Amino acid sequence: MQNNFLTTIRSLKIIDGCKGSQVYAFPSTSGAGTSGERPPPLRPNFSLRSKSVHYTQPPCHNHSLSILTDSMLPFGLPSVDTINPPIDPHLRPVDPVSTLADMYRRLAAAECDREADLCDLHLEQHSVLRSMNDLKLLRRALRAARVHASDVHRRVVLSAWLRYERREDEFVPAPAPLAPCTKTSPSLECPKATLYPDPPGMPLNPYCPCHPPASLIPSDSTRVRHRGEADADGDLWFIIGEEEVLCVRSCIAALSIPLNALLYGGFAEAQRDRIDFTHNGISVSAMKAVDVYSRTGQIDSLSPEIIVELLSFSNKFCCEELKADCDARLAAMVHGTDGALQLIEYGLEETSYLLVAACLQCFLRELPHSLHDPDVARLLCSPEGRERLEAAGNASFALYYFLSQVAMEEDMKSNTTIMLLERLGECAAPGWQRQQAMHQLGCVMLERGEYKDAQRWFEEAAKDGHIYSWVGVARAKYKRGHKYAAYKLLNTILDQFEPAGWMYQERSLYCVGKEKLNDLVTATSLDPTLSYPYKYRAITLMEEDKVGAAIVEVNKILGFKVSTDLLELRAWFFLAQEDYKGAMQDVRALMTLDPGYLFFHGKVHGDHLIEAMRGYVQQMDMADCWLQLYDRWSAVDDIGSLAVVHQMLAKEPNSGLRFRQSLLLLRLNCQKAAMRSLRQARNSTNARDERLVYEGWILYDTGHKEEALEKAEESINVKRTFEALFLKAYALGDNPFDDRKSADYVINILEAAVNCASDNLRKGQAFNNMGSIYVDIENFAVAESCYEKALGLKHTRAHQGLARVFYVTNRKKAAYDEMTKLIEKAKNNASAYEKRSEYCERENAMSDLNTATTLDPLRTYPYRYRAAVMMDDRREDDAIAELTRVINFKPDLQLLHLRAAFYESMHKTELAVRDCEAALCFEPTHGDTLDLYHRARGLKSEEPHS
């Protein structure tokens, strides 16, 4: 079988078609002998812990091959030398809570200071929050920066950035970069709104000019500006070549102070009625346009060529009002990249702020594709381009911050990325901006293998105050052969600062044996979300021929953190174990997350690997796939379900499966991939009612609840379907019900939904939702019936709802038993353990919560519960330590609020205030935290000063 597997891979030309050298070379078999028999497979004869590989021809007698044979893995086995964790390419504070608290204090102070730059502060907040890896918080910080951007340039940059981050949410790509907004497009992203100031009285509530309120639409009487002398008689001729242009002296003089001095001052021209303008670089047509403008103030009907001449004229004679009007008119003519490339040259030459901003906006809204245009890249990446943009008022740290993030996502090692980061450094102010630019340059140089330059940039960032950059310095030294120097540097960091998981993880790279393993254990205990320790331990077990134990180790982190690298590693182990079914599952799940992923160090596309394994896995038709999907879905096996859906889509692509795929991805917290699948579902259906439903879900998931309801209603009007009714009920049931009537209305919708055609998986969800509503209105008997119906349709999560019914009806033992059933059935059952803890005594509850933490350390309720128990037992220091343990790797509003409350009860008001400020940095309007904050500050002010 092993030889056949390798033959399959060869037949697909996977190896030959891959760029880069192979780990192992396969000699030709043409001279193997004349017997016509296939030669025995080659396999490496080496210790798996050794870096050297020697090949020997195995003897011809029967022997048992190791499960780690070369023929099973043509690109070799995973090695600990190839999995070193990357340096995070963003700011990482050594004391996140104090940093967040300081950020909140400065933001709060800036709100009261008219001179403060709130936009820059929110950009700094965005940079600080990147280490939290919370997309909602990052988007909120970007939105706040855009709201407080007072200049056109930063509004252009930040609105384009917001749109770029939301690109997966769009139904279809915009027909043009500056196309008018749809009704559901966020007003902060409107391309027109960026170029013009907000109406008076609403600076923090930008409206969309594409759909302005009626009160803001100018009337016909106000749209045309008159200068008051439109019919004045001409009294001055400008001679251009052999032609004369008649103008009104007073009107021309009114255009600027220099022209007024020329025509009414001490110059000879003041005494003449004919002035020669032949050598002033203006055509007759343009001069006539100057005359018209001087009398009427209108340039709307002029061609771009004439307006460009007027722009040059206005610069030469300092006609500020004329320049502003030409600038605005040309900016309004920018619609696409080609036109922008032509107009921006005029804008840069004449330093036309608005025109350059409009062209720049066009390029930014075409990212990342526009960076591949040589003309655009030359302008944005080169030092000369930055200088020209700066002269026109359109170069800033915000611009290159955005551009460098896009470039790093595209290709971290590219020259484009390097040049943009260099421009970022040139625009950076001392402090966090310079720290970020220098640190990111170090990260890119490290990835490129330019270790000396990487060390230099990291040292610059570290000297500017970014402590985490010393990790980059240590890594660069290690790569340059100075392992002990790197080790000593990490020891210094551990001695000087509060230890963190990433510190021990980094030091582990520079030691061996037991000390290395101990550092990795400590790293995991301090921050269980770090992937490297799990991967290292798993590969080490693999090298000891303990493949099963290696898979168990990877499963520990895959239970709460699904990523492509972890899925690939486990697939690699499955292949080594000849478990093709398991490998196929992980490869399919991975390809759902990233359809373009390349396996085996970037050498094999996932589709090719699936094809190679096809002959080793039992093939299923669609009926078999549906049965397996039911089993995986009911077992709460989201990765397994993803793999089945991926297989079904390969057989029969359809929008319904894409929709289910998006639901699974949301469960796994893969928001971007989920939105991509939902958009594909929308674009792949020909049925209008289905398309409206998927549009509704996209709108709902992006915060447009009312618009989602409109889509649901529109779909129902086209055709009453389960999905349309379910969407409507889901959106209506999102908020607590005001009365029984509104609850009954939603229940009726769900009842109508289950009477429509659909599969049992979706109907089970509908009955489960129905049960939740009945619980909310305290109709527990009917709720119990709904949950039982859901369970009859294999909706396993209904056990949780049924347990809730049992508990509120004083059947605590039945509730506990019901949750036990869920634990036994569900593959991902951390939440079930957490929920079961509510239905048992303290000792058993603590056991369940400890299990929940082991399975998913990101769940915060267990930490809060344990800390509360400790406070009840007057173990205050233990309670604080329990909360601190999780806050150190997952700062969270509720955790910080609870610890602040504990500190207040312990009369440690300064620490209580700090935690409140850190929590408010996440959610400035959180009422309970604001109350606690003001109370703690009041207590702090009453304390005697030492």
Side-chain angles (χ1 to χ4, degrees):
M1 180 176 288
Q2 294 161 0
N3 293 331
N4 293 337
F5 180 75
L6 180 56
T7 302
T8 305
I9 294 181
R10 280 177 173 166
S11 69
L12 290 168
K13 298 184 179 180
I14 296 175
I15 299 174
D16 297 337
C18 296
K19 296 181 180 179
S21 59
Q22 297 173 200
V23 176
Y24 303 131
F26 294 89
S28 171
T29 61
S30 59
T34 59
S35 63
E37 296 179 358
R38 181 188 298 273
L42 293 175
R43 72 182 181 94
N45 178 19
F46 68 121
S47 166
L48 288 171
R49 291 190 179 276
S50 172
K51 293 184 180 179
S52 60
V53 181
H54 307 283
Y55 286 96
T56 59
Q57 186 78 15
C60 293
H61 58 76
N62 293 330
H63 63 283
S64 60
L65 291 175
S66 166
I67 61 170
L68 304 178
T69 56
D70 174 53
S71 59
M72 289 300 302
L73 295 163
F75 295 100
L77 296 163
S79 166
V80 293
D81 296 328
T82 61
I83 62 164
N84 286 347
I87 306 294
D88 292 337
H90 49 70
L91 299 184
R92 178 183 279 278
V94 290
D95 185 356
V97 174
S98 295
T99 302
L100 291 169
D102 176 67
M103 190 78 251
Y104 173 76
R105 285 194 300 271
R106 289 191 290 135
L107 282 168
E111 293 281 358
C112 306
D113 183 359
R114 291 185 178 180
E115 301 299 320
D117 191 344
L118 274 166
C119 176
D120 185 64
L121 279 173
H122 282 293
L123 268 182
E124 181 181 355
Q125 182 187 32
H126 176 271
S127 182
V128 169
L129 291 173
R130 287 191 66 197
S131 62
M132 314 297 171
N133 199 28
D134 188 317
L135 295 179
K136 288 185 178 179
L137 290 177
L138 290 173
R139 184 163 181 82
R140 185 184 300 165
L142 269 185
R143 285 176 57 84
R146 164 62 183 89
V147 165
H148 291 96
S150 56
D151 56 283
V152 168
H153 168 70
R154 286 190 297 180
R155 289 151 68 108
V156 161
V157 171
L158 293 168
S159 66
W161 196 343
L162 284 166
R163 183 175 179 271
Y164 177 82
E165 293 294 341
R166 199 181 57 84
R167 61 194 183 281
E168 297 290 355
D169 304 346
E170 296 179 337
F171 300 154
V172 290
L178 303 183
C181 299
T182 64
K183 290 184 178 180
T184 57
S185 298
S187 60
L188 289 175
E189 298 175 22
C190 176
K192 291 184 179 179
T194 61
L195 298 175
Y196 306 101
D198 294 320
M202 52 187 306
L204 300 184
N205 297 286
Y207 78 103
C208 176
C210 302
H211 309 282
S215 60
L216 296 176
I217 299 176
S219 63
D220 292 336
S221 61
T222 62
R223 288 180 184 176
V224 179
R225 177 165 49 89
H226 295 280
R227 301 186 68 88
E229 298 185 60
D231 300 324
D233 294 331
D235 56 358
L236 174 67
W237 286 265
F238 285 96
I239 302 172
I240 301 172
E242 298 181 357
E243 295 190 47
E244 296 183 350
V245 178
L246 180 63
C247 300
V248 179
R249 180 183 293 267
S250 60
C251 292
I252 297 294
L255 290 177
S256 71
I257 293 175
L259 284 173
N260 185 71
L262 177 71
L263 299 177
Y264 287 108
F267 295 96
E269 284 79 3
Q271 308 304 318
R272 300 172 181 170
D273 58 6
R274 281 176 169 76
I275 300 174
D276 189 356
F277 256 35
T278 301
H279 303 293
N280 276 297
I282 189 169
S283 67
V284 173
S285 298
M287 197 62 218
K288 289 179 179 178
V290 171
D291 169 57
V292 172
Y293 179 82
S294 70
R295 290 182 288 107
T296 66
Q298 296 182 52
I299 59 172
D300 293 348
S301 60
L302 301 178
S303 68
E305 294 78 14
I306 297 297
I307 298 177
V308 167
E309 284 196 66
L310 293 187
L311 185 62
S312 178
F313 177 89
S314 67
N315 264 337
K316 187 172 292 184
F317 291 100
C318 304
C319 307
E320 296 301 327
E321 192 173 354
L322 173 59
K323 180 176 181 178
D325 287 344
C326 291
D327 199 4
R329 181 59 184 157
L330 287 171
M333 294 179 177
V334 177
H335 299 295
T337 303
D338 293 339
L341 281 170
Q342 293 176 357
L343 288 172
I344 197 169
E345 284 302 320
Y346 298 119
L348 291 170
E349 188 173 337
E350 303 297 341
T351 61
S352 299
Y353 177 67
L354 205 60
L355 173 58
V356 173
C359 296
L360 188 61
Q361 177 169 238
C362 189
F363 304 149
L364 295 180
R365 287 174 177 259
E366 285 282 279
L367 289 171
H369 307 297
S370 55
L371 283 178
H372 300 296
D373 186 304
D375 294 324
V376 175
R378 190 180 304 113
L379 174 66
L380 297 179
C381 300
S382 67
E384 297 77 17
R386 186 194 68 80
E387 290 173 0
R388 297 184 74 193
L389 287 171
E390 187 174 37
N394 276 279
S396 67
F397 181 85
L399 170 64
Y400 289 103
Y401 184 10
F402 174 32
L403 287 170
S404 61
Q405 300 315 302
V406 174
M408 289 173 74
E409 287 181 17
E410 278 287 289
D411 183 0
M412 196 164 182
K413 299 179 183 180
S414 71
N415 290 333
T416 298
T417 302
I418 288 288
M419 289 190 288
L420 287 171
L421 286 172
E422 288 173 345
R423 305 293 81 74
L424 181 71
E426 292 166 359
C427 293
W432 75 273
Q433 292 184 359
R434 181 170 168 78
Q435 289 174 19
Q436 176 159 305
M438 300 301 102
H439 180 76
Q440 290 185 329
L441 270 167
C443 291
V444 172
M445 289 299 185
L446 192 69
E447 286 292 312
R448 287 164 62 103
E450 301 176 27
Y451 303 126
K452 186 175 181 179
D453 287 338
Q455 181 176 333
R456 176 168 60 89
W457 291 120
F458 281 131
E459 286 174 344
E460 289 286 332
K463 289 174 183 176
D464 279 347
H466 187 227
I467 304 304
Y468 179 66
S469 290
W470 287 116
V471 169
V473 175
R475 189 75 66 88
K477 286 185 174 183
Y478 170 65
K479 292 291 187 180
R480 297 178 67 196
H482 308 300
K483 185 174 181 179
Y484 184 61
Y487 179 79
K488 287 199 302 182
L489 183 52
L490 263 296
N491 278 339
T492 302
I493 294 174
L494 282 164
D495 289 340
Q496 292 182 356
F497 301 98
E498 186 70 24
W502 55 265
M503 298 178 187
Y504 281 98
Q505 173 180 270
E506 190 64 26
R507 191 176 72 171
S508 74
L509 301 177
Y510 316 130
C511 50
V512 295
K514 188 175 181 180
E515 185 180 3
K516 185 183 191 80
L517 291 174
N518 287 341
D519 272 1
L520 290 174
V521 169
T522 305
T524 298
S525 66
L526 291 174
D527 186 353
T529 66
L530 295 172
S531 300
Y532 174 74
Y534 298 93
K535 292 162 71 174
Y536 180 89
R537 289 189 291 263
I539 292 175
T540 301
L541 289 166
M542 176 78 169
E543 292 177 345
E544 297 171 354
D545 285 4
K546 299 176 181 177
V547 186
I551 292 172
V552 169
E553 184 66 26
V554 177
N555 286 344
K556 290 178 183 177
I557 187 169
L558 273 173
F560 62 89
K561 182 182 179 180
V562 176
S563 64
T564 53
D565 60 322
L566 292 168
L567 284 170
E568 182 189 14
L569 185 61
R570 191 170 69 173
W572 214 324
F573 293 162
F574 281 136
L575 281 174
Q577 204 178 34
E578 300 185 42
D579 181 355
Y580 302 115
K581 183 178 179 181
M584 182 75 89
Q585 170 188 283
D586 283 353
V587 172
R588 286 191 180 280
L590 193 160
M591 295 302 291
T592 303
L593 297 177
D594 183 358
Y597 194 85
L598 298 176
F599 287 76
F600 304 136
H601 308 304
K603 293 182 172 65
V604 180
H605 192 278
D607 290 341
H608 294 157
L609 188 56
I610 290 171
E611 188 64 30
M613 289 189 291
R614 193 179 300 279
Y616 299 85
V617 178
Q618 181 181 354
Q619 298 302 300
M620 298 184 295
D621 57 21
M622 285 298 286
D624 294 330
C625 287
W626 274 111
L627 290 174
Q628 191 167 66
L629 181 59
Y630 271 78
D631 291 340
R632 297 291 179 88
W633 201 288
S634 62
V636 196
D637 178 5
D638 295 331
I639 292 177
S641 299
L642 267 185
V644 176
V645 172
H646 185 273
Q647 183 176 1
M648 296 169 76
L649 282 168
K651 292 177 179 293
E652 296 181 14
N654 67 74
S655 59
L657 287 172
R658 286 285 182 198
F659 176 59
R660 283 168 174 76
Q661 189 179 68
S662 72
L663 297 176
L664 291 165
L665 289 166
L666 283 174
R667 284 187 193 171
L668 292 170
N669 200 30
C670 302
Q671 179 73 26
K672 287 189 176 182
M675 294 307 295
R676 182 180 64 240
S677 292
L678 196 51
R679 192 180 69 248
Q680 287 173 338
R682 184 263 180 203
N683 293 340
S684 64
T685 182
N686 293 321
R688 184 163 178 263
D689 59 295
E690 289 183 9
R691 186 168 62 253
L692 289 167
V693 168
Y694 302 141
E695 289 177 359
W697 279 115
I698 292 173
L699 290 167
Y700 180 85
D701 289 339
T702 52
H704 300 280
K705 178 183 169 182
E706 294 302 323
E707 292 84 353
L709 276 171
E710 290 177 8
K711 292 289 184 181
E713 290 285 7
E714 193 176 348
S715 179
I716 291 168
N717 290 336
V718 175
K719 184 179 179 180
R720 287 177 68 85
T721 62
F722 173 90
E723 293 298 350
L725 292 164
F726 185 90
L727 170 61
K728 180 179 179 180
Y730 195 91
L732 289 171
D734 192 30
N735 297 321
F737 297 108
D738 297 329
D739 52 36
R740 177 65 179 267
K741 185 177 180 181
S742 57
D744 287 341
Y745 179 64
V746 176
I747 289 170
N748 289 336
I749 296 172
L750 287 171
E751 287 176 340
V754 296
N755 288 325
C756 295
S758 184
D759 61 83
N760 287 342
L761 290 176
R762 298 295 288 153
K763 289 188 176 182
Q765 179 70 64
F767 278 116
N768 185 76
N769 291 8
M770 219 182 299
S772 298
I773 299 172
Y774 278 119
V775 169
D776 290 342
I777 61 176
E778 299 184 357
N779 191 339
F780 301 121
V782 181
E784 183 175 342
S785 174
C786 288
Y787 286 127
E788 288 174 345
K789 288 178 181 177
L791 288 171
L793 298 173
K794 287 193 172 186
H795 188 77
T796 307
R797 285 182 170 85
H799 283 296
Q800 183 169 317
L802 191 55
R804 181 184 175 196
V805 171
F806 290 154
Y807 183 74
V808 297
T809 54
N810 297 318
R811 291 177 281 175
K812 190 173 181 179
K813 176 65 167 58
Y816 181 88
D817 292 341
E818 199 65 31
M819 288 308 301
T820 302
K821 294 177 184 177
L822 177 56
I823 289 170
E824 292 170 350
K825 290 181 181 179
K827 184 170 184 178
N828 301 318
N829 53 17
S831 62
Y833 276 105
E834 180 182 302
K835 195 65 180 177
R836 191 176 72 170
S837 69
E838 299 177 19
Y839 307 139
C840 54
E841 301 304 321
R842 177 182 288 189
E843 183 176 343
N844 290 335
M846 292 292 279
S847 175
D848 276 356
L849 291 174
N850 289 338
T851 302
T853 297
T854 300
L855 294 172
D856 184 356
L858 294 176
R859 304 189 74 84
T860 61
Y861 172 75
Y863 300 95
R864 290 186 279 123
Y865 180 90
R866 287 189 293 263
V869 170
M870 292 170 185
M871 286 296 287
D872 288 343
D873 294 340
R874 299 183 180 279
R875 296 160 52 201
E876 295 172 337
D877 291 340
D878 290 340
I880 294 294
E882 179 67 18
L883 292 177
T884 302
R885 179 160 69 106
V886 61
I887 287 173
N888 283 342
F889 67 86
K890 190 186 186 234
D892 172 88
L893 187 149
Q894 290 183 322
L895 292 167
L896 287 165
H897 175 92
L898 184 59
R899 192 171 72 171
F902 287 176
Y903 277 134
E904 184 199 30
S905 69
M906 297 163 66
H907 306 292
K908 296 183 178 182
T909 53
E910 185 173 346
L911 294 174
V913 168
R914 180 203 64 186
D915 279 1
C916 284
E917 289 171 339
L920 291 170
C921 190
F922 292 138
E923 180 51 77
T925 59
H926 191 256
D928 291 342
T929 303
L930 281 171
D931 292 341
L932 177 58
Y933 178 50
H934 295 313
R935 191 165 64 246
R937 287 187 68 187
L939 292 171
K940 182 182 177 184
S941 65
E942 295 173 5
E943 293 178 352
H945 297 285
S946 56

